[in-house]
Amino acid sequence: LKRKSPEDLVNDGILKTNPTLPEPGTGLGKFFNKNLSEVPKIDGIPSIVVECANYLENSGGMREEGLFRVPGSAEEVNAITTAFDSVGSCDLSSYEVSSVAGSLKLFFRNMPEPLFTFDHYSDFINVAKQCSGDETALLNGLTNALSSIPRDNSLLVVYLLRFLLKCSHYYSE
């Protein structure tokens, strides 16, 4: 007889939550598993995002193929995330580009609520479905949906899209 995992016990209705996972938003550090409204920011953007994005842009990291596909060193990602979580900042100059990119991805992955929020997710999906053939309507619908999410989230979405646009310019070189 195989012992059930905590996730199986939650799925079966035996447990309400998985006791092996921290409650969303209860991270002990400054960034990871913290609500977006609680993390340190630079001009409204989480400082970990700003520092990692600036490093990737200024170090030439955007020229690396597979920037967000190639995994970084687990040791380096752990060191970077630990520094950000404990001190609120990190000198990224001694780390591999892929490790910095991996740390940035981990920040987004560990957000207790998605960037487009649980409450507004269906708004974005509905706009995409209803306006898929009309670029102007799609843009207007997405802009309206974006204005309905919390300000911290919308600022970060815009920042992230601008950063990814810069990345795409390097990709086409």
Side-chain angles (χ1 to χ4, degrees), residues 4-10 15 17-23 33:
K4 288 191 172 192
S5 71
E7 189 172 290
D8 291 336
L9 295 173
V10 171
L15 293 175
T17 60
N18 184 337
T20 63
L21 298 176
E23 273 299 305
N33 194 30

Side-chain angles (χ1 to χ4, degrees), residues 38-123:
E38 300 171 357
V39 301
K41 296 179 183 70
I42 298 172
D43 296 326
I45 307 301
S47 57
I48 186 173
V49 175
V50 173
E51 288 185 39
C52 289
N54 285 343
Y55 175 78
L56 293 172
E57 186 173 1
N58 297 329
S59 69
M62 290 182 164
R63 285 181 164 68
E64 290 202 16
E65 189 173 335
L67 176 62
F68 290 106
R69 233 182 22 244
V70 176
S73 154
E75 285 179 24
E76 287 191 358
V77 169
N78 187 47
I80 293 167
T81 57
T82 299
F84 272 112
D85 237 6
S86 60
V87 183
S89 187
C90 182
D91 177 7
L92 299 170
S93 62
S94 62
Y95 295 105
E96 293 178 17
V97 166
S98 57
S99 297
V100 175
S103 300
L104 181 58
K105 290 190 312 187
L106 190 62
F107 168 74
F108 285 104
R109 200 174 309 124
N110 284 332
M111 288 174 62
E113 183 167 45
L115 199 50
F116 292 99
T117 74
F118 293 118
D119 290 340
H120 296 93
Y121 176 79
S122 61
D123 298 339

Side-chain angles (χ1 to χ4, degrees), residues 142-157:
L142 290 175
T143 301
N144 288 336
L146 188 61
S147 68
S148 69
I149 65 175
R151 181 164 169 72
D152 285 335
N153 294 59
S154 62
L155 288 173
L156 184 51
V157 167

